Amino acid sequence: MHSLSLSGPHLPDARIRWLDLPGDDERPVRVFVPGPDDAAGYVEAALHPALAGPRTLLVDLLGAGASERPELFGYTVPEHAATLAALLDHVGVAGVELVGHGTGAAVAIALAGHRPELVGRLVVAGPELAADGFADLKCPRAFLVGGRDRPAGGEAVARAAGVPIVEVLDAGHDLVADNAAGYPEAVAAALLVAR
């Protein structure tokens, strides 16, 4: 597991951690941001044949998984987006394929809005899109939904913005746990159709 000691303006004094799975360096790096879940729970999905190829980072946001839980941190979406930007800057990647779920999706949307050069393609699942500014983003994007858990209003926002919606069959909110084989296939499909 890799780690970065954060410090500086608008950053807490804490360590953020991530897994770095090797892959084809000629392709855009793929970054999974699962929100409050432990990123290690996404390793099997990231290694699924449907998602094979690029180098992949699995990020534990501050307060989640192996990352530290600093007391002097507000745990707001903009603060998490700033720490994720610091991590991507540290790794030296831009134009990533960013996949976020739940809180991680809200953070991914905020990052794409504030640091658009870092995000080349965006796939999100679970956020309230109308409140997060998803419709205003310029990067190619797709919205992932569980067949048993349709976010209220999210699909309408995505449709109105012309954003493709991809369904993970037989899944509720916890897409990975509910359909371990279907989730990576749906992410791969979403990355292909993102616009």
Side-chain angles (χ1 to χ4, degrees):
M1 178 151 287
H2 297 269
S3 69
L4 170 65
S5 182
L6 299 165
S7 63
H10 311 293
L11 292 174
D13 183 18
R15 296 192 80 74
I16 187 168
R17 294 188 169 88
W18 70 97
L19 295 168
D20 193 334
L21 307 177
D24 181 356
D25 287 333
E26 299 299 314
R27 296 176 61 179
V29 172
R30 186 169 297 139
V31 179
F32 283 85
V33 185
D37 297 330
D38 187 335
Y42 283 67
V43 170
E44 188 175 330
L47 294 174
H48 188 280
L51 294 174
R55 177 183 180 193
T56 301
L57 309 180
L58 303 160
V59 179
D60 281 331
L61 294 173
L62 290 180
S67 287
E68 291 181 349
R69 292 155 179 77
E71 289 183 30
L72 299 177
F73 185 65
Y75 297 93
T76 66
V77 168
E79 288 173 311
H80 279 304
T83 63
L84 181 57
L87 184 154
L88 296 177
D89 288 340
H90 170 76
V91 174
V93 298
V96 302
E97 294 179 338
L98 188 56
V99 182
H101 185 261
T103 302
V107 171
I109 292 167
L111 180 67
H114 295 291
R115 294 283 309 274
E117 76 281 5
L118 293 177
V119 182
R121 191 170 305 274
L122 177 66
V123 173
V124 295
E128 183 51 56
L129 299 180
D132 291 332
F134 182 74
D136 300 325
L137 298 176
K138 303 299 182 215
C139 64
R141 58 211 188 278
F143 185 46
L144 207 57
V145 296
R148 297 190 319 252
D149 181 28
R150 309 302 276 226
E155 287 186 68
V157 171
R159 277 195 184 85
V163 173
I165 299 167
V166 177
E167 183 176 319
V168 180
L169 300 174
D170 298 322
H173 178 73
D174 193 346
L175 303 174
V176 176
D178 292 345
N179 189 342
Y183 173 77
E185 292 170 358
V187 170
L191 287 166
L192 285 175
V193 301
R195 55 187 152 114

